[in-house]
Amino acid sequence: METLYTAKATATGGRKGHVKTEDGPIDMPLSMPKALGGDGGDGVNPEQLFGSAYSACFGSALSLVAEKHKADLGDFSVTAHISIGKEEDGSLLLSAVLDSYLPGVDDIETAETLVNEAHEVCPFSRATRDNIDVTLNVLRDE
C-alpha cells in the first residue's frame, strides 16, 4: 500500500482522559458515558469520534460513487449511530448504523445502489467489514 496520509492522535488516561492530534485540530477531554458507568461529563467518547469519522468518510465515498454515476446527491448527509454492546461471554463489541439522506436522488433503487457501492469503497467500511455489524439505511422525505 502506498501511504497517502497518516493522522497521529494520542489519548492519555483512557476513556476518562484526553485526546489530542499531533497537528492540533483535536485537543479535547474524554468522558465516559453514564450508560457505561461513567459520569457522562462534557468530553467526547471514542464512539462519538468513530461515528464522526465514519460518517465523514462514508459521505466522501458517496460523493465519489455519485460522480461516477453522474448522480446529484443534493444537500446530502450521513449520520452514523455507533453502539457498543456486550456479548454473552462479556466481551464488548461495536455496531454501526449509517443513515444516508440523499435528497437529490428521487429513485430509491438508485439511492440504494449508491449507498451499497459507497460501502464497498469507503475505507472505514472496508476496515469494519466482517468485524462489526453495519446496517445501511437510505432516508427519504415523507
Side-chain angles (χ1 to χ4, degrees):
M1 174 180 93
E2 176 190 354
T3 301
L4 301 175
Y5 170 74
T6 300
K8 183 176 177 183
T10 301
T12 56
R15 287 180 168 268
K16 298 177 185 177
H18 192 92
V19 66
K20 181 177 179 8
T21 55
E22 179 180 53
D23 55 355
I26 296 175
D27 187 356
M28 58 187 60
L30 296 166
S31 295
M32 177 95 70
K34 286 184 180 183
L36 296 178
D39 64 1
D42 291 336
V44 299
N45 63 60
E47 292 73 30
Q48 292 168 323
L49 293 168
F50 181 67
S52 298
Y54 198 172
S55 62
C57 189
F58 196 84
S60 289
L62 271 171
S63 292
L64 179 72
V65 169
E67 185 177 311
K68 181 181 98 174
H69 285 274
K70 297 180 179 20
D72 178 9
L73 298 175
D75 190 15
F76 76 100
S77 65
V78 176
T79 301
H81 307 260
I82 305 299
S83 299
I84 187 166
K86 188 183 291 187
E87 295 189 295
E88 288 181 21
D89 67 1
S91 60
L92 299 175
L93 188 64
L94 294 175
S95 64
V97 175
L98 298 177
D99 291 337
S100 297
Y101 174 60
L102 314 175
V105 182
D106 294 327
D107 180 57
I108 188 67
E109 289 82 19
T110 300
E112 289 174 348
T113 295
L114 295 172
V115 166
N116 286 328
E117 286 187 24
H119 190 51
E120 292 300 314
V121 301
C122 173
F124 277 72
S125 290
R126 293 176 57 137
T128 59
R129 188 164 290 119
D130 299 325
N131 292 311
I132 69 171
D133 289 333
V134 178
T135 302
L136 304 173
N137 294 321
V138 175
L139 304 182
R140 309 294 294 172
D141 287 325
E142 294 296 319

